Amino acid sequence: MKALVISGGGSKGAFAGGVAEYLINEKKRTYDMYLGSSTGSLLIPNLALNNIDKMHDIYTNVNQHSIFSLSPFKVRYKKGEEFIQIHHLNVLLQLIKGKRTFGESRRLQKLIKKSFSVTEFNELKSSPKDVIVTVTNLTLNKVEYKSIKDFTYEEFCEWIWISCNYVPFMSLVKKDDFEYADGGFSCVVPIREAILRGATEIDAIILDTEAFSYRKSIGKNPFSLMVDLFDGILDQVEKKDIALGKLSAKHNNVKLNLYHTPIKLTDNSLIFNKKQMTLWWKQGYEYAKHKMNNDSPSTIDYEEVLNLK
């Protein structure tokens, strides 16, 4: 049984889309299971339906307005670098309304339904394929996995949305007397879950570099510092997921293929820049192409391949 696993990573999901496009369209990979966390949850339903062109269109045209119904920050650019600033009015409105998050992401919920129809849901649910999204139950402090087989269209779309809600910057959702948020808070890369569900071969797309080899710039204001701190915590969760996944794969004789981003893509994956994400999709495709067709992928100069030199 083959599985495709896509990690969390916000806007970096565009890179994962490019990798998946090459694996599915060019290498003709087919999968029995699709598992995602956060942005990976957005990708997997349409990848399972082979709607790659649709996902390319979404990931190369989305912007801040497409995601946030109330954005908690502004973005300014200085010498080509992105800097986060607090959107004081929006944050104040949230506080006045007694909300516990700085922003809301209802537009993302609408985008999910727009990109994944009832007809497509029924087609996928009735097929032998399984699509599983990762969410974090904050009330019980544990990870949960939601299969398309167990829910209605409305329920499953909501689980996809919940999987992507990076609190406290996006919506906190109460469902069935529990409060839920981004799947990445408990599991960034659900490799081990794929193995527990019977996968014997896994392609795992991980939206981070294999080794931390760069100097990180820490936020210059409390808001951007908070983003950086959360990012650091999720990096540690991701490393744990990968280590457990490798160990479980070895123990269960599972073939595990890892596709890391070969370079650092961004300091802030909550910034949705159309031009940047279009480039990342193309880079993901080229990266997968060269990795799959080279006997010694570790010797590839990916900066040259991705036109970064």
Side-chain angles (χ1 to χ4, degrees):
M1 185 179 291
K2 295 182 180 180
L4 176 65
V5 174
I6 302 181
S7 80
S11 57
K12 294 183 290 184
F15 188 93
V19 174
E21 179 184 5
Y22 185 80
L23 293 177
I24 295 170
N25 282 356
E26 301 303 324
K27 301 305 289 186
K28 306 302 179 185
R29 294 285 183 91
T30 57
Y31 303 98
D32 306 289
M33 277 190 296
Y34 297 75
L35 295 92
S37 183
S38 197
T39 196
S41 297
L42 284 177
L43 283 161
I44 55 173
N46 276 294
L47 292 179
L49 291 164
N50 205 29
N51 290 337
I52 295 173
D53 288 342
K54 180 196 287 188
M55 294 314 296
H56 177 270
D57 184 61
I58 291 170
Y59 269 82
T60 56
N61 285 284
V62 73
N63 55 36
Q64 300 299 106
H65 185 75
S66 309
I67 305 297
F68 293 98
S69 49
L70 189 77
S71 179
F73 51 75
K74 298 177 182 177
V75 182
R76 66 181 179 88
Y77 298 88
K78 185 178 180 181
K79 296 181 180 179
E81 290 190 41
E82 296 166 337
F83 294 89
I84 304 172
Q85 291 182 318
I86 302 172
H87 196 309
H88 292 91
L89 178 59
N90 284 355
V91 171
L92 181 60
L93 286 172
Q94 287 290 92
L95 293 174
I96 290 172
K97 289 188 285 186
K99 300 292 186 179
R100 287 177 290 163
T101 60
F102 299 126
E104 297 290 346
S105 57
R106 293 289 175 182
R107 287 197 180 121
L108 175 59
Q109 188 178 26
K110 292 179 180 178
L111 179 63
I112 291 168
K113 290 184 177 181
K114 183 178 178 181
S115 63
F116 184 47
S117 69
V118 176
T119 301
E120 290 170 326
F121 169 83
N122 290 331
E123 177 187 344
L124 196 52
K125 186 172 182 176
S126 63
S127 76
K129 298 177 182 179
D130 200 0
V131 176
I132 301 124
V133 302
T134 308
V135 298
T136 299
N137 186 324
L138 295 176
T139 307
L140 298 179
N141 192 29
K142 71 172 188 176
V143 62
E144 294 181 5
Y145 301 96
K146 307 299 182 180
S147 167
I148 192 172
K149 305 296 185 185
D150 300 326
F151 300 99
T152 65
Y153 171 75
E154 292 291 337
E155 290 170 333
F156 192 65
C157 285
E158 188 173 32
W159 286 124
I160 295 172
W161 175 55
I162 289 170
S163 181
C164 304
N165 275 330
Y166 194 78
V167 297
F169 310 102
M170 301 170 80
S171 300
L172 178 66
V173 182
K174 188 168 185 178
K175 189 174 177 65
D176 302 326
D177 292 325
F178 299 109
E179 291 183 301
Y180 289 93
D182 195 299
F185 288 126
S186 52
C187 182
V188 180
V189 196
I191 296 170
R192 188 167 176 269
E193 182 65 18
I195 295 171
L196 291 173
R197 288 174 181 260
T200 54
E201 182 175 352
I202 300 171
D203 286 332
I205 304 174
I206 301 166
L207 296 170
D208 206 350
T209 55
E210 190 167 4
F212 188 89
S213 58
Y214 54 88
R215 186 180 178 88
K216 188 173 178 64
S217 177
I218 304 301
K220 300 297 189 296
N221 62 62
F223 215 60
S224 57
L225 177 60
M226 189 183 300
V227 173
D228 291 334
L229 287 173
F230 271 69
D231 190 47
I233 292 169
L234 293 187
D235 280 346
Q236 298 308 309
V237 175
E238 179 183 85
K239 287 180 174 61
K240 179 205 72 175
D241 293 338
I242 295 169
L244 289 175
K246 286 181 176 179
L247 186 64
S248 184
K250 184 177 181 180
H251 181 73
N252 291 280
N253 197 29
V254 172
K255 184 178 180 181
L256 178 60
N257 309 305
L258 301 179
Y259 300 85
H260 288 268
T261 58
I263 56 172
K264 175 174 172 278
L265 297 179
T266 180
D267 281 325
N268 184 4
S269 60
L270 290 178
I271 304 302
F272 298 86
N273 182 296
K274 292 191 292 185
K275 183 178 179 180
Q276 195 173 55
M277 293 171 71
T278 300
L279 175 63
W280 290 344
W281 189 290
K282 182 178 179 181
Q283 289 177 339
Y285 184 93
E286 291 299 322
Y287 160 72
K289 177 181 177 181
H290 283 78
K291 180 179 174 69
M292 294 291 292
N293 295 310
N294 193 290
D295 292 331
S296 302
S298 62
T299 66
I300 300 174
D301 187 342
Y302 284 111
E303 289 197 359
E304 183 176 344
V305 167
L306 303 181
N307 296 318
L308 295 173
K309 289 186 174 180

